[in-house]
Amino acid sequence: MERTLAQAATQLGLTRPQLIALMQEKGLLNERRLPAYPTRDHEYLRVKDGQWYHGKYGLQYSQSIRIKQAGIRWLADQLGIDLPAIPADRRDVA
C-alpha cells in the first residue's frame, strides 16, 4: 500500500507541510519535492507520474511522491519521530 504525503504525515502525527519541511531539512527531498536520492530510497519512496488534459494548454504532466508501506517506519527513523508500537493482533486468540 502506498500513501500520499498527507496520509503519511497523519500516520506520523504531523501535518503535510511539517512533513515536507522535515524531509527537506534532512535532505530527503529536492527542490521539486521529489526524492533527492530516488535510486537509494526506491524501497521507501516512489515518484508517481500523472497527466491530465487542459483545455487551453493541452496535455499537462505532473509528478508527486508516494511513500511505500516500508517507508513509514524508515521515514520515522530518518526524521527522529517515535512511532507508537503496532498493537498485537488478537484475532488468533482462542
Side-chain angles (χ1 to χ4, degrees), residues 20-88:
I20 290 169
L22 284 172
M23 289 178 75
Q24 286 177 328
E25 183 180 304
K26 295 290 184 176
L28 299 175
L29 297 181
N30 63 21
E31 66 281 349
R32 294 180 55 215
R33 294 185 182 168
L34 296 174
Y37 302 98
T39 304
R40 180 191 75 181
D41 301 336
H42 76 277
E43 293 183 30
Y44 312 109
L45 307 174
R46 180 178 79 85
V47 175
K48 178 182 179 266
D49 295 314
Q51 63 185 25
W52 71 94
Y53 185 79
H54 187 279
K56 183 176 179 183
Y57 300 110
L59 198 56
Q60 302 292 303
Y61 299 94
S62 67
Q63 290 184 313
S64 60
I65 191 170
R66 293 293 185 261
I67 290 109
K68 296 181 179 182
Q69 180 66 35
I72 296 295
R73 175 80 47 204
W74 175 82
L75 202 51
D77 291 341
Q78 295 293 313
L79 302 177
I81 298 171
D82 291 328
L83 283 179
I86 299 171

